Amino acid sequence: MNKTLISNSLRSLGLLYALDKVRFQLEKRNNKQANRLFRKANPDVKLPPDYLMYESFQMNYDKYYTESIDAANWLVNHFKRHAPLENATILDWGCGPGRIIRHLPEILGENCSYYGTDYNANSIAWCSENLPKIDFNHNGLEARLPYQDDMFDVIYGISIFTHLSEQLHYDWTAELLRILKPGGILFLTTQGNAFKQKLSEEEIGHFNQDKLVIRGKVKEGHRTYSAFHPPAFMTKLFADAKVLEHIERPIETGRSLPQDIWIVTK
């Protein structure tokens, strides 16, 4: 049996959560020494509880903190191609335990305004207590945010659509465009053509018909809930906006499959 068949079978049996908890413990054990060395070398770095880190990313402190500085700079370089960032108002949609947003005040300076929102109440509680100079909000899965119309110059969501149902794709796109300034940019990543190798034959058939592929039967929004995005579906999703860039990054041996980048404006 291949991994896809095993995963889908466990999903149907309701056992995927249990498997994910086992995976968390294995990753925690495998990273124990590296994480201990990171804490020793960086005693002043505030780190979220282990499961919050794992649930939104990986169970490795250096990747969560140090490598995420590179990720934040990578994001900023994309932003700069399409939007002036001086005095910008920036939202991290699906910020988790602050992996990216915590670095932006140092990269862009304190003249910008920084916001983070997430459906995980524990992540938002930790961020609010430990990451100053950023305004955090706890949202539900329902596409409703407490921000005024046309508020943000930049909104970004890293691998957030990958955990939402089809209807919430449309609902959240409308809500994000509502709070985006005219001429502002919306930066999102999705599981596009590079992820077809992870799909079953039936799923590939749906994908090739430009249909969103959903692996549900678990809590929506959780890491085990997964969506795969044909480019034509995303183009349809952004019918009320303008796509500035769609970037399909090449697959690199020994690295995780690269998500597509979508940069959109209104």
Side-chain angles (χ1 to χ4, degrees), residues 161-193:
F161 273 149
T162 55
H163 306 296
L164 295 179
S165 62
E166 182 167 349
Q167 184 58 53
L168 284 186
H169 276 69
Y170 287 97
D171 294 348
W172 274 109
T173 296
E175 178 67 353
L176 295 174
L177 290 175
R178 177 187 70 79
I179 62 175
L180 184 68
K181 290 181 181 179
I185 60 168
L186 175 59
F187 180 106
L188 300 164
T189 68
T190 60
Q191 297 185 131
N193 283 314

mmCIF file of all heavy atoms in Angstrom, residues 161-193:
data_model
loop_
_atom_site.group_PDB
_atom_site.id
_atom_site.type_symbol
_atom_site.label_atom_id
_atom_site.label_comp_id
_atom_site.label_asym_id
_atom_site.label_seq_id
_atom_site.Cartn_x
_atom_site.Cartn_y
_atom_site.Cartn_z
ATOM 1 N N PHE A 161 -5.017 28.205 2.906
ATOM 2 C CA PHE A 161 -6.026 27.588 2.053
ATOM 3 C C PHE A 161 -5.852 26.070 1.994
ATOM 4 O O PHE A 161 -6.805 25.347 1.681
ATOM 5 C CB PHE A 161 -5.962 28.155 0.639
ATOM 6 C CG PHE A 161 -6.782 29.399 0.435
ATOM 7 C CD1 PHE A 161 -6.389 30.355 -0.481
ATOM 8 C CD2 PHE A 161 -7.952 29.604 1.129
ATOM 9 C CE1 PHE A 161 -7.148 31.506 -0.697
ATOM 10 C CE2 PHE A 161 -8.724 30.737 0.936
ATOM 11 C CZ PHE A 161 -8.318 31.693 0.015
ATOM 12 N N THR A 162 -4.679 25.576 2.274
ATOM 13 C CA THR A 162 -4.412 24.135 2.228
ATOM 14 C C THR A 162 -5.182 23.361 3.283
ATOM 15 O O THR A 162 -5.197 22.126 3.257
ATOM 16 C CB THR A 162 -2.910 23.861 2.406
ATOM 17 O OG1 THR A 162 -2.461 24.481 3.605
ATOM 18 C CG2 THR A 162 -2.115 24.414 1.245
ATOM 19 N N HIS A 163 -5.831 24.064 4.227
ATOM 20 C CA HIS A 163 -6.560 23.384 5.306
ATOM 21 C C HIS A 163 -8.022 23.816 5.386
ATOM 22 O O HIS A 163 -8.641 23.704 6.458
ATOM 23 C CB HIS A 163 -5.856 23.646 6.639
ATOM 24 C CG HIS A 163 -4.403 23.275 6.629
ATOM 25 N ND1 HIS A 163 -3.972 21.976 6.458
ATOM 26 C CD2 HIS A 163 -3.278 24.036 6.733
ATOM 27 C CE1 HIS A 163 -2.641 21.958 6.470
ATOM 28 N NE2 HIS A 163 -2.203 23.184 6.626
ATOM 29 N N LEU A 164 -8.574 24.301 4.263
ATOM 30 C CA LEU A 164 -9.945 24.798 4.268
ATOM 31 C C LEU A 164 -10.794 24.122 3.188
ATOM 32 O O LEU A 164 -10.290 23.725 2.136
ATOM 33 C CB LEU A 164 -9.961 26.314 4.039
ATOM 34 C CG LEU A 164 -9.311 27.184 5.120
ATOM 35 C CD1 LEU A 164 -9.388 28.651 4.730
ATOM 36 C CD2 LEU A 164 -9.949 26.951 6.478
ATOM 37 N N SER A 165 -12.097 24.041 3.453
ATOM 38 C CA SER A 165 -13.052 23.476 2.500
ATOM 39 C C SER A 165 -13.280 24.431 1.334
ATOM 40 O O SER A 165 -12.898 25.605 1.377
ATOM 41 C CB SER A 165 -14.384 23.208 3.204
ATOM 42 O OG SER A 165 -14.923 24.428 3.695
ATOM 43 N N GLU A 166 -13.943 23.938 0.300
ATOM 44 C CA GLU A 166 -14.140 24.761 -0.897
ATOM 45 C C GLU A 166 -14.957 26.021 -0.599
ATOM 46 O O GLU A 166 -14.607 27.119 -1.043
ATOM 47 C CB GLU A 166 -14.812 23.947 -2.003
ATOM 48 C CG GLU A 166 -14.992 24.743 -3.288
ATOM 49 C CD GLU A 166 -15.359 23.877 -4.470
ATOM 50 O OE1 GLU A 166 -15.284 22.640 -4.357
ATOM 51 O OE2 GLU A 166 -15.708 24.437 -5.528
ATOM 52 N N GLN A 167 -16.052 25.886 0.148
ATOM 53 C CA GLN A 167 -16.871 27.065 0.433
ATOM 54 C C GLN A 167 -16.078 28.113 1.201
ATOM 55 O O GLN A 167 -16.209 29.314 0.941
ATOM 56 C CB GLN A 167 -18.118 26.674 1.232
ATOM 57 C CG GLN A 167 -19.071 27.846 1.468
ATOM 58 C CD GLN A 167 -19.542 28.494 0.172
ATOM 59 O OE1 GLN A 167 -20.041 27.811 -0.723
ATOM 60 N NE2 GLN A 167 -19.364 29.804 0.040
ATOM 61 N N LEU A 168 -15.235 27.668 2.131
ATOM 62 C CA LEU A 168 -14.446 28.635 2.894
ATOM 63 C C LEU A 168 -13.356 29.287 2.035
ATOM 64 O O LEU A 168 -12.907 30.390 2.353
ATOM 65 C CB LEU A 168 -13.837 27.990 4.136
ATOM 66 C CG LEU A 168 -14.813 27.767 5.291
ATOM 67 C CD1 LEU A 168 -14.086 27.256 6.533
ATOM 68 C CD2 LEU A 168 -15.593 29.044 5.629
ATOM 69 N N HIS A 169 -12.950 28.645 0.960
ATOM 70 C CA HIS A 169 -12.060 29.326 0.012
ATOM 71 C C HIS A 169 -12.741 30.588 -0.525
ATOM 72 O O HIS A 169 -12.143 31.667 -0.555
ATOM 73 C CB HIS A 169 -11.709 28.406 -1.160
ATOM 74 C CG HIS A 169 -10.578 27.467 -0.900
ATOM 75 N ND1 HIS A 169 -10.662 26.419 -0.017
ATOM 76 C CD2 HIS A 169 -9.318 27.421 -1.418
ATOM 77 C CE1 HIS A 169 -9.513 25.761 -0.003
ATOM 78 N NE2 HIS A 169 -8.678 26.352 -0.844
ATOM 79 N N TYR A 170 -13.981 30.440 -0.933
ATOM 80 C CA TYR A 170 -14.712 31.588 -1.486
ATOM 81 C C TYR A 170 -15.044 32.617 -0.405
ATOM 82 O O TYR A 170 -14.898 33.830 -0.626
ATOM 83 C CB TYR A 170 -15.977 31.105 -2.196
ATOM 84 C CG TYR A 170 -15.695 30.433 -3.510
ATOM 85 C CD1 TYR A 170 -15.613 29.044 -3.604
ATOM 86 C CD2 TYR A 170 -15.477 31.183 -4.663
ATOM 87 C CE1 TYR A 170 -15.332 28.424 -4.813
ATOM 88 C CE2 TYR A 170 -15.200 30.574 -5.886
ATOM 89 C CZ TYR A 170 -15.126 29.198 -5.948
ATOM 90 O OH TYR A 170 -14.839 28.586 -7.157
ATOM 91 N N ASP A 171 -15.466 32.122 0.757
ATOM 92 C CA ASP A 171 -15.829 33.043 1.837
ATOM 93 C C ASP A 171 -14.629 33.858 2.299
ATOM 94 O O ASP A 171 -14.718 35.080 2.486
ATOM 95 C CB ASP A 171 -16.410 32.261 3.014
ATOM 96 C CG ASP A 171 -17.738 31.596 2.693
ATOM 97 O OD1 ASP A 171 -18.326 31.919 1.635
ATOM 98 O OD2 ASP A 171 -18.171 30.744 3.494
ATOM 99 N N TRP A 172 -13.514 33.183 2.487
ATOM 100 C CA TRP A 172 -12.328 33.894 2.986
ATOM 101 C C TRP A 172 -11.714 34.807 1.927
ATOM 102 O O TRP A 172 -11.184 35.874 2.256
ATOM 103 C CB TRP A 172 -11.287 32.903 3.510
ATOM 104 C CG TRP A 172 -11.533 32.538 4.945
ATOM 105 C CD1 TRP A 172 -11.977 31.346 5.438
ATOM 106 C CD2 TRP A 172 -11.348 33.387 6.080
ATOM 107 N NE1 TRP A 172 -12.088 31.398 6.804
ATOM 108 C CE2 TRP A 172 -11.705 32.644 7.222
ATOM 109 C CE3 TRP A 172 -10.920 34.700 6.237
ATOM 110 C CZ2 TRP A 172 -11.641 33.175 8.516
ATOM 111 C CZ3 TRP A 172 -10.855 35.235 7.521
ATOM 112 C CH2 TRP A 172 -11.215 34.480 8.646
ATOM 113 N N THR A 173 -11.773 34.414 0.673
ATOM 114 C CA THR A 173 -11.271 35.305 -0.376
ATOM 115 C C THR A 173 -12.052 36.612 -0.371
ATOM 116 O O THR A 173 -11.469 37.708 -0.437
ATOM 117 C CB THR A 173 -11.365 34.636 -1.755
ATOM 118 O OG1 THR A 173 -10.499 33.488 -1.782
ATOM 119 C CG2 THR A 173 -10.932 35.591 -2.859
ATOM 120 N N ALA A 174 -13.365 36.519 -0.260
ATOM 121 C CA ALA A 174 -14.196 37.727 -0.212
ATOM 122 C C ALA A 174 -13.865 38.580 1.009
ATOM 123 O O ALA A 174 -13.779 39.816 0.914
ATOM 124 C CB ALA A 174 -15.671 37.343 -0.213
ATOM 125 N N GLU A 175 -13.663 37.934 2.152
ATOM 126 C CA GLU A 175 -13.365 38.684 3.375
ATOM 127 C C GLU A 175 -11.987 39.338 3.309
ATOM 128 O O GLU A 175 -11.808 40.502 3.718
ATOM 129 C CB GLU A 175 -13.448 37.752 4.593
ATOM 130 C CG GLU A 175 -13.099 38.398 5.930
ATOM 131 C CD GLU A 175 -14.089 39.454 6.395
ATOM 132 O OE1 GLU A 175 -15.011 39.828 5.636
ATOM 133 O OE2 GLU A 175 -13.939 39.941 7.528
ATOM 134 N N LEU A 176 -11.007 38.633 2.791
ATOM 135 C CA LEU A 176 -9.662 39.206 2.684
ATOM 136 C C LEU A 176 -9.634 40.366 1.698
ATOM 137 O O LEU A 176 -8.960 41.381 1.942
ATOM 138 C CB LEU A 176 -8.662 38.125 2.282
ATOM 139 C CG LEU A 176 -8.464 37.002 3.312
ATOM 140 C CD1 LEU A 176 -7.566 35.911 2.738
ATOM 141 C CD2 LEU A 176 -7.886 37.524 4.620
ATOM 142 N N LEU A 177 -10.364 40.241 0.606
ATOM 143 C CA LEU A 177 -10.431 41.351 -0.353
ATOM 144 C C LEU A 177 -11.183 42.548 0.241
ATOM 145 O O LEU A 177 -10.870 43.695 -0.078
ATOM 146 C CB LEU A 177 -11.088 40.894 -1.647
ATOM 147 C CG LEU A 177 -10.268 39.919 -2.503
ATOM 148 C CD1 LEU A 177 -11.082 39.435 -3.696
ATOM 149 C CD2 LEU A 177 -8.960 40.557 -2.968
ATOM 150 N N ARG A 178 -12.138 42.274 1.115
ATOM 151 C CA ARG A 178 -12.860 43.375 1.767
ATOM 152 C C ARG A 178 -11.917 44.253 2.584
ATOM 153 O O ARG A 178 -12.002 45.484 2.549
ATOM 154 C CB ARG A 178 -13.951 42.821 2.695
ATOM 155 C CG ARG A 178 -14.709 43.915 3.472
ATOM 156 C CD ARG A 178 -15.650 43.343 4.505
ATOM 157 N NE ARG A 178 -14.974 42.734 5.639
ATOM 158 C CZ ARG A 178 -14.450 43.419 6.665
ATOM 159 N NH1 ARG A 178 -14.502 44.750 6.688
ATOM 160 N NH2 ARG A 178 -13.868 42.777 7.670
ATOM 161 N N ILE A 179 -11.002 43.637 3.303
ATOM 162 C CA ILE A 179 -10.125 44.395 4.206
ATOM 163 C C ILE A 179 -8.822 44.829 3.534
ATOM 164 O O ILE A 179 -8.015 45.524 4.145
ATOM 165 C CB ILE A 179 -9.830 43.608 5.498
ATOM 166 C CG1 ILE A 179 -9.091 42.306 5.201
ATOM 167 C CG2 ILE A 179 -11.125 43.332 6.264
ATOM 168 C CD1 ILE A 179 -8.669 41.526 6.444
ATOM 169 N N LEU A 180 -8.603 44.411 2.285
ATOM 170 C CA LEU A 180 -7.411 44.816 1.537
ATOM 171 C C LEU A 180 -7.640 46.177 0.885
ATOM 172 O O LEU A 180 -8.691 46.426 0.293
ATOM 173 C CB LEU A 180 -7.099 43.777 0.458
ATOM 174 C CG LEU A 180 -5.821 43.986 -0.359
ATOM 175 C CD1 LEU A 180 -4.580 43.795 0.503
ATOM 176 C CD2 LEU A 180 -5.794 43.017 -1.556
ATOM 177 N N LYS A 181 -6.659 47.053 0.988
ATOM 178 C CA LYS A 181 -6.766 48.351 0.335
ATOM 179 C C LYS A 181 -6.768 48.190 -1.189
ATOM 180 O O LYS A 181 -6.104 47.283 -1.709
ATOM 181 C CB LYS A 181 -5.588 49.246 0.729
ATOM 182 C CG LYS A 181 -5.592 49.733 2.158
ATOM 183 C CD LYS A 181 -4.383 50.622 2.415
ATOM 184 C CE LYS A 181 -4.341 51.112 3.859
ATOM 185 N NZ LYS A 181 -3.150 51.958 4.129
ATOM 186 N N PRO A 182 -7.455 49.056 -1.907
ATOM 187 C CA PRO A 182 -7.289 49.069 -3.364
ATOM 188 C C PRO A 182 -5.817 49.275 -3.721
ATOM 189 O O PRO A 182 -5.167 50.176 -3.200
ATOM 190 C CB PRO A 182 -8.138 50.270 -3.792
ATOM 191 C CG PRO A 182 -9.159 50.428 -2.710
ATOM 192 C CD PRO A 182 -8.447 50.043 -1.435
ATOM 193 N N GLY A 183 -5.285 48.410 -4.542
ATOM 194 C CA GLY A 183 -3.867 48.480 -4.879
ATOM 195 C C GLY A 183 -2.971 47.724 -3.919
ATOM 196 O O GLY A 183 -1.776 47.564 -4.172
ATOM 197 N N GLY A 184 -3.547 47.243 -2.792
ATOM 198 C CA GLY A 184 -2.775 46.415 -1.870
ATOM 199 C C GLY A 184 -2.574 45.019 -2.440
ATOM 200 O O GLY A 184 -3.132 44.665 -3.481
ATOM 201 N N ILE A 185 -1.777 44.196 -1.758
ATOM 202 C CA ILE A 185 -1.506 42.857 -2.282
ATOM 203 C C ILE A 185 -1.897 41.775 -1.272
ATOM 204 O O ILE A 185 -1.744 41.932 -0.066
ATOM 205 C CB ILE A 185 -0.040 42.678 -2.702
ATOM 206 C CG1 ILE A 185 0.927 42.895 -1.538
ATOM 207 C CG2 ILE A 185 0.304 43.561 -3.871
ATOM 208 C CD1 ILE A 185 2.342 42.451 -1.838
ATOM 209 N N LEU A 186 -2.409 40.702 -1.833
ATOM 210 C CA LEU A 186 -2.751 39.490 -1.101
ATOM 211 C C LEU A 186 -1.810 38.392 -1.577
ATOM 212 O O LEU A 186 -1.772 38.078 -2.768
ATOM 213 C CB LEU A 186 -4.209 39.125 -1.370
ATOM 214 C CG LEU A 186 -4.756 37.830 -0.791
ATOM 215 C CD1 LEU A 186 -4.649 37.810 0.726
ATOM 216 C CD2 LEU A 186 -6.216 37.636 -1.237
ATOM 217 N N PHE A 187 -1.032 37.835 -0.652
ATOM 218 C CA PHE A 187 -0.013 36.832 -0.975
ATOM 219 C C PHE A 187 -0.431 35.516 -0.326
ATOM 220 O O PHE A 187 -0.578 35.440 0.901
ATOM 221 C CB PHE A 187 1.351 37.290 -0.443
ATOM 222 C CG PHE A 187 2.490 36.343 -0.701
ATOM 223 C CD1 PHE A 187 3.440 36.628 -1.675
ATOM 224 C CD2 PHE A 187 2.643 35.176 0.043
ATOM 225 C CE1 PHE A 187 4.510 35.763 -1.901
ATOM 226 C CE2 PHE A 187 3.698 34.306 -0.184
ATOM 227 C CZ PHE A 187 4.635 34.598 -1.156
ATOM 228 N N LEU A 188 -0.611 34.469 -1.147
ATOM 229 C CA LEU A 188 -1.085 33.181 -0.639
ATOM 230 C C LEU A 188 -0.281 32.042 -1.256
ATOM 231 O O LEU A 188 0.222 32.164 -2.380
ATOM 232 C CB LEU A 188 -2.560 32.989 -0.988
ATOM 233 C CG LEU A 188 -3.529 34.038 -0.433
ATOM 234 C CD1 LEU A 188 -4.854 33.959 -1.166
ATOM 235 C CD2 LEU A 188 -3.718 33.868 1.058
ATOM 236 N N THR A 189 -0.173 30.932 -0.527
ATOM 237 C CA THR A 189 0.464 29.743 -1.090
ATOM 238 C C THR A 189 -0.534 28.583 -1.080
ATOM 239 O O THR A 189 -1.389 28.491 -0.199
ATOM 240 C CB THR A 189 1.732 29.341 -0.320
ATOM 241 O OG1 THR A 189 1.388 28.868 0.995
ATOM 242 C CG2 THR A 189 2.697 30.514 -0.218
ATOM 243 N N THR A 190 -0.404 27.714 -2.087
ATOM 244 C CA THR A 190 -1.340 26.600 -2.257
ATOM 245 C C THR A 190 -0.587 25.352 -2.709
ATOM 246 O O THR A 190 0.551 25.416 -3.181
ATOM 247 C CB THR A 190 -2.411 26.937 -3.310
ATOM 248 O OG1 THR A 190 -1.765 27.205 -4.567
ATOM 249 C CG2 THR A 190 -3.236 28.147 -2.894
ATOM 250 N N GLN A 191 -1.265 24.215 -2.590
ATOM 251 C CA GLN A 191 -0.708 22.942 -3.055
ATOM 252 C C GLN A 191 -1.161 22.701 -4.491
ATOM 253 O O GLN A 191 -2.246 22.203 -4.735
ATOM 254 C CB GLN A 191 -1.163 21.808 -2.119
ATOM 255 C CG GLN A 191 -0.638 21.993 -0.700
ATOM 256 C CD GLN A 191 -0.961 20.850 0.235
ATOM 257 O OE1 GLN A 191 -0.094 20.350 0.937
ATOM 258 N NE2 GLN A 191 -2.214 20.429 0.276
ATOM 259 N N GLY A 192 -0.308 23.090 -5.420
ATOM 260 C CA GLY A 192 -0.644 23.036 -6.829
ATOM 261 C C GLY A 192 -0.152 21.787 -7.534
ATOM 262 O O GLY A 192 -0.105 20.693 -6.958
ATOM 263 N N ASN A 193 0.272 21.947 -8.792
ATOM 264 C CA ASN A 193 0.655 20.801 -9.618
ATOM 265 C C ASN A 193 1.774 19.967 -9.014
ATOM 266 O O ASN A 193 1.831 18.749 -9.241
ATOM 267 C CB ASN A 193 1.073 21.287 -11.011
ATOM 268 C CG ASN A 193 -0.113 21.656 -11.885
ATOM 269 O OD1 ASN A 193 -1.085 20.925 -11.949
ATOM 270 N ND2 ASN A 193 -0.028 22.806 -12.553
#
